[in-house]
Amino acid sequence: LLADAHGGVLYIDVINLLADHLVDALLDVAVSGVNRVEREGLSEEHPARFVLVASMNPEEGELRPQLLDRFGLTTEVRAPSDVALRAEAVRRQLGRESCSSGDGGPGSIPASESDAALRTRVGAARALTPVVPGDVIELACAVSLGSGAEGLRADLSLVRAAGARARLDGRCTVTATDVE
């Protein structure tokens, strides 16, 4: 990865959860601009100069100060507390995803339904691409915000689950009842 990142960008997600030995190796390479790998008598060396970009959730642990020092810029990102802004973020994310990915669970399946019937029903549901109206997205965002959700994960999950429910029922439009 360090060789591939040479001359470009190295992105590390949840960098604060990176194992200590990897942080040490990353720091050595960031300072020297050279990656040295030595294993079982073999030695490899290659240039590794890159821009380090990373993300983290501070609630999951702190970043080591010597690693924090490697970043020229930092920013704090918070989910908006305005329902309309949250709904727009959810709309944009949903626009990047495929509704046919089977994101939802089976909802309430009658206990008497056979496995074959259930497979048929789920297969038919996956073929649908339901429309999620703006007011339904805003309802999901309001519910998430009202429950104290800080990020957008709850909003997205609620909209996805409502979409799965509509698909399982064979409907092409998600309703407020699906969210509820």
Side-chain angles (χ1 to χ4, degrees):
L1 289 175
L2 295 174
D4 288 344
H6 178 65
V9 174
L10 176 65
Y11 171 72
I12 302 174
D13 192 18
V14 291
I15 193 165
N16 53 324
L17 300 182
L18 201 60
D20 286 343
H21 73 283
L22 294 175
V23 171
D24 293 338
L26 185 61
L27 286 171
D28 289 344
V29 172
V31 169
S32 70
V34 176
N35 186 32
R36 290 178 190 82
V37 180
E38 296 178 0
R39 293 213 189 351
E40 301 175 10
L42 298 174
S43 182
E44 170 94 19
E45 186 175 293
H46 59 82
R49 293 198 180 277
F50 47 83
V51 174
L52 182 59
V53 177
S55 62
M56 64 178 269
N57 183 349
E59 295 169 0
E60 294 175 343
E62 294 297 317
L63 190 61
R64 288 175 45 183
Q66 59 272 46
L67 187 54
L68 181 60
D69 189 50
R70 298 305 310 166
F71 294 98
L73 300 171
T74 62
T75 187
E76 186 174 320
V77 178
R78 293 193 180 274
S81 58
D82 177 81
V83 170
L85 292 174
R86 289 175 79 93
E88 180 60 23
V90 169
R91 267 189 218 90
R92 289 180 183 197
Q93 180 60 33
L94 292 173
R96 291 180 177 90
E97 298 173 2
S98 168
C99 288
S100 63
S101 63
D103 55 66
S108 57
I109 303 292
S112 62
E113 192 167 4
S114 72
D115 286 347
L118 176 59
R119 275 194 291 278
T120 300
R121 191 170 167 199
V122 169
R126 286 186 174 152
L128 293 174
T129 305
V131 173
V132 185
D135 61 325
V136 172
I137 292 174
E138 288 182 14
L139 172 63
C141 292
V143 168
S144 296
L145 192 58
S147 71
E150 291 182 12
L152 295 174
R153 214 172 262 147
D155 310 56
L156 286 163
S157 294
L158 190 52
V159 171
R160 288 176 185 137
R165 178 67 206 187
R167 288 184 358 225
L168 192 60
D169 287 347
R171 290 182 283 109
C172 291
T173 303
V174 180
T175 67
T177 303
D178 296 318
V179 171
E180 293 164 1

